[in-house]
Amino acid sequence: MQLSKKTYSGYQEYPEKVLQFGEGNFLRCFVDWMFHELNKKNGFNGSVVVVQPIDKGMVNMLNEQDGLYTLYLRGLKNGKAESSHETIDVISRGINPYEDFQAYLKTSENPEMRYVISNTTEAGISYNENDKPTDAPPVSFPAKLAVWLHNRYTTFNGDASKGVHIIPCELIEKNADNLKKVILQLAEKWGYEAGFVNWLNSACTFSNTLVDRIVPGYPRERIAEITQELGYEDKQVVEGEPFHLWVIEAPEQLQKELPFPSIGLDVLYVKDVTPYRTRKVRILNGAHTTLVPVAYLYGIDTVRESVEHPVVGKYLKDAIFEEIIPTLDLPKEELEQFANEVIDRFRNPYIKHLLMSISLNSWSKFETRVLPSILEYKKRKGSIPQHLAFSLAATIAFYKGKRGEEAIALNDDAAAMELLKSAWASSDGSEKALNEVVTKVLGYEKNWKMNLNEVEGLNEAVTKHLVNIEEYGMKKAIEMI
């Protein structure tokens, strides 16, 4: 028996109010769950139409289950492991615009349609010069949305009350500003009338956002156990952690229309999402990047094991609380609370997060996630943060490509890989040679956007730690910080 409206006794139909680009696990575990909660607890009385943003996708599978799916939330709550599940019934249908473009366009003619949500990956919000307004559909997401918005404007003769709130969830800075910029660029190129541009600017809103929830997705390894527990087959099961945070630069009207905070959801309506984005990138993402090479070379394979390890776990907490948090401008109490939540999330017993899965493109990640903390710490304190410098040394050691006798499956930018390979190949392991490796890495301006050898004390600190790692091994070197 498969999950469907025939087999689910609680099935309800709601007016279609939300157009959503993306049918993947994250949006279904995050935004769709929130609208589901708003229906239950606030009488929102709305459903989501899901649009498949690329040619190949899963809306057909979603439609086979009438938009229904089971959501499992599993993680630590107040220090205790908790698992819960419920059926989410907020999706009315899925549309593949590559198969039925007119059905997609027709949704813009629905007077009750009010919100546009998207998560089309970081590459989704981009300008494609080959897109045309006559394409059915255009290739890029912004072009699809531009055609949809123009059809809505035309259908309702520019009625300001038929404007929509556009809330992208792509993980790029100023996601809404970038999306609007591309749509206006397309409107100009395509010769759309000035009235449409005025309507877009005055009747529609674009809200920059930050989203945060770990979503492992479809629980393939335990689906047989889940099917037995549920008593029906669900091909769209999705798993996520209880923690969730949605920060939205929302106009007052949107806050009134979507009162997520009033029903207990962690949605923050703010004037500027930047400090929250910086907090997440520096603490959560920065902690991951700081941890990976140290823990892996120590002999650990998962995030949870690392955090719970008496030595590696202490190293990570010291890096966060003593070196990252002092570089941020939000209230200290708020930052420490967020950091403690992050550590609990890393300890989630239901998620097996492999360190190697986070190691992809470590150099670009270090530049965006950790380097800003090093530079800001140096600026504020006048010294080099030793735990973060140790992580940089460990990253250099990691790219030597060996953990004992075991080869490390390195995966990074080709130029960065070649630089490290060449640097290590010419090193004889002496202190002088290791300093030359460090000098080459710190001087790699293509990655750092600057020459890090010019940061007073950084080369010396990283070299010292790299010498200790190479001479004594990670287990001894970490104790010498």
Side-chain angles (χ1 to χ4, degrees):
M1 181 175 70
Q2 185 171 358
L3 178 62
S4 70
K5 62 184 179 183
K6 292 179 181 177
T7 59
Y8 176 57
S9 60
Y11 184 82
Q12 278 187 265
E13 290 189 6
Y14 303 98
E16 294 178 342
K17 295 182 180 180
V18 184
L19 187 75
Q20 175 176 299
F21 290 85
E23 74 279 31
N25 291 317
F26 182 81
L27 285 181
R28 290 190 295 115
C29 185
F30 191 76
V31 174
D32 297 334
W33 165 72
M34 290 191 186
F35 279 115
H36 172 80
E37 292 294 301
L38 209 57
N39 277 338
K40 286 196 309 180
K41 299 175 182 177
N42 189 264
F44 173 67
N45 190 37
S47 67
V48 178
V49 181
V50 172
V51 178
Q52 185 173 296
I54 57 176
D55 188 15
K56 297 193 186 326
M58 301 186 299
V59 295
N60 289 339
M61 286 177 64
L62 203 55
N63 285 332
E64 285 174 10
Q65 297 186 174
D66 299 313
L68 297 167
Y69 60 95
T70 309
L71 171 64
Y72 275 81
L73 297 179
R74 291 154 57 84
L76 292 177
K77 193 170 182 180
N78 299 322
K80 295 182 179 179
E82 289 190 4
S83 175
S84 65
H85 68 270
E86 67 175 322
T87 303
I88 307 298
D89 67 352
V90 77
I91 294 176
S92 61
R93 58 188 168 127
I95 297 174
N96 182 351
Y98 293 86
E99 293 180 353
D100 193 348
F101 182 69
Q102 289 308 311
Y104 162 67
L105 209 55
K106 189 76 175 172
T107 61
S108 69
E109 300 168 13
N110 172 6
E112 292 195 75
M113 194 61 74
R114 183 63 172 158
Y115 313 95
V116 176
I117 306 290
S118 67
N119 187 23
T120 57
T121 78
E122 290 89 323
I125 299 179
S126 59
Y127 175 73
N128 182 345
E129 62 179 10
N130 297 317
D131 278 325
K132 299 181 182 65
T134 52
D135 292 342
V139 173
S140 73
F141 155 57
K144 289 184 183 73
L145 181 55
V147 169
W148 187 92
L149 288 165
H150 187 260
N151 193 63
R152 185 171 183 81
Y153 165 79
T154 304
T155 299
F156 296 106
N157 299 310
D159 183 348
S161 70
K162 297 303 183 289
V164 291
H165 296 294
I166 298 163
I167 316 169
C169 297
E170 285 81 359
L171 293 174
I172 61 170
E173 198 165 354
K174 303 291 183 184
N175 45 21
D177 291 349
N178 280 287
L179 177 58
K180 184 177 182 180
K181 180 182 177 182
V182 175
I183 291 173
L184 289 172
Q185 190 176 359
L186 290 167
E188 182 180 4
K189 181 184 179 184
W190 293 347
Y192 281 167
E193 58 270 57
F196 168 71
V197 174
N198 291 335
W199 178 81
L200 193 71
N201 285 322
S202 60
C204 299
T205 67
F206 288 76
S207 296
N208 292 316
T209 70
L210 171 73
V211 297
D212 190 3
R213 172 173 257 177
I214 296 172
V215 179
Y218 183 74
R220 194 174 309 278
E221 291 182 1
R222 63 183 206 96
I223 195 61
E225 170 194 333
I226 287 173
T227 302
Q228 186 174 1
E229 178 182 16
L230 297 176
Y232 56 77
E233 182 183 13
D234 182 355
K235 296 178 180 177
Q236 295 285 301
V237 175
V238 61
E239 277 190 339
E241 64 172 345
F243 179 94
H244 62 281
L245 177 66
W246 198 5
V247 187
I248 307 173
E249 287 180 9
E252 192 173 335
Q253 184 59 38
L254 180 61
Q255 298 180 40
K256 291 178 180 176
E257 292 182 30
L258 300 179
F260 293 118
S262 71
I263 60 169
L265 296 180
D266 289 327
V267 176
L268 299 180
Y269 288 123
V270 300
K271 290 183 178 179
D272 184 7
V273 77
T274 305
Y276 297 93
R277 176 180 172 79
T278 302
R279 180 183 73 172
K280 175 181 181 282
V281 170
R282 300 271 191 94
I283 295 179
L284 189 150
N285 303 118
H288 266 157
T289 301
T290 299
L291 174 68
V292 167
V294 175
Y296 192 79
L297 292 179
Y298 199 96
I300 301 172
D301 291 321
T302 69
V303 172
R304 183 187 176 198
E305 289 176 276
S306 306
V307 174
E308 293 182 342
H309 190 278
V311 176
V312 177
K314 182 180 184 304
Y315 159 81
L316 181 65
K317 289 170 189 172
D318 288 347
I320 294 172
F321 287 92
E322 296 178 12
E323 298 180 358
I324 296 176
I325 285 178
T327 71
L328 299 171
D329 293 324
L330 288 170
K332 184 180 179 183
E333 183 179 330
E334 185 178 324
L335 292 168
E336 290 183 345
Q337 179 184 340
F338 180 77
N340 283 317
E341 288 172 342
V342 164
I343 290 167
D344 269 352
R345 295 167 70 188
F346 287 177
R347 292 174 53 234
N348 190 335
Y350 298 110
I351 296 176
K352 187 177 182 180
H353 206 165
L354 294 174
L355 294 169
M356 283 303 298
S357 71
I358 309 170
S359 71
L360 174 69
N361 295 327
S362 289
W363 291 112
S364 61
K365 286 178 179 176
F366 202 99
E367 188 269 329
T368 57
R369 300 173 174 189
V370 186
L371 179 60
S373 295
I374 293 176
L375 298 178
E376 189 63 26
Y377 188 96
K378 169 67 175 172
K379 178 181 174 183
R380 297 189 185 194
K381 305 284 188 179
S383 60
I384 298 297
Q386 292 301 313
H387 293 77
L388 300 183
F390 185 84
S391 175
L392 181 49
T395 306
I396 295 172
F398 181 85
Y399 275 74
K400 192 177 182 180
K402 285 282 189 180
R403 180 170 72 169
E405 297 302 313
E406 173 192 352
I408 299 175
L410 301 172
N411 193 346
D412 213 310
D413 171 75
M417 294 273 284
E418 183 55 38
L419 176 83
L420 268 295
K421 182 180 178 182
S422 171
W424 277 115
S426 60
S427 172
D428 61 9
S430 66
E431 184 170 339
K432 181 184 176 185
L434 291 174
N435 177 250
E436 290 174 357
V437 173
V438 170
T439 301
K440 283 182 183 177
V441 172
L442 297 192
Y444 186 43
E445 295 189 37
K446 179 184 175 185
N447 186 71
W448 307 120
K449 318 293 190 297
M450 63 184 294
N451 186 342
L452 293 184
N453 290 300
E454 296 174 1
V455 179
E456 183 185 2
L458 185 58
N459 185 302
E460 179 185 2
V462 175
T463 298
K464 179 187 72 176
H465 295 312
L466 184 60
V467 168
N468 288 340
I469 291 169
E470 287 295 294
E471 186 172 344
Y472 302 109
M474 182 57 71
K475 292 183 179 181
K476 178 69 173 174
I478 198 173
E479 295 175 1
M480 300 170 69
I481 299 174

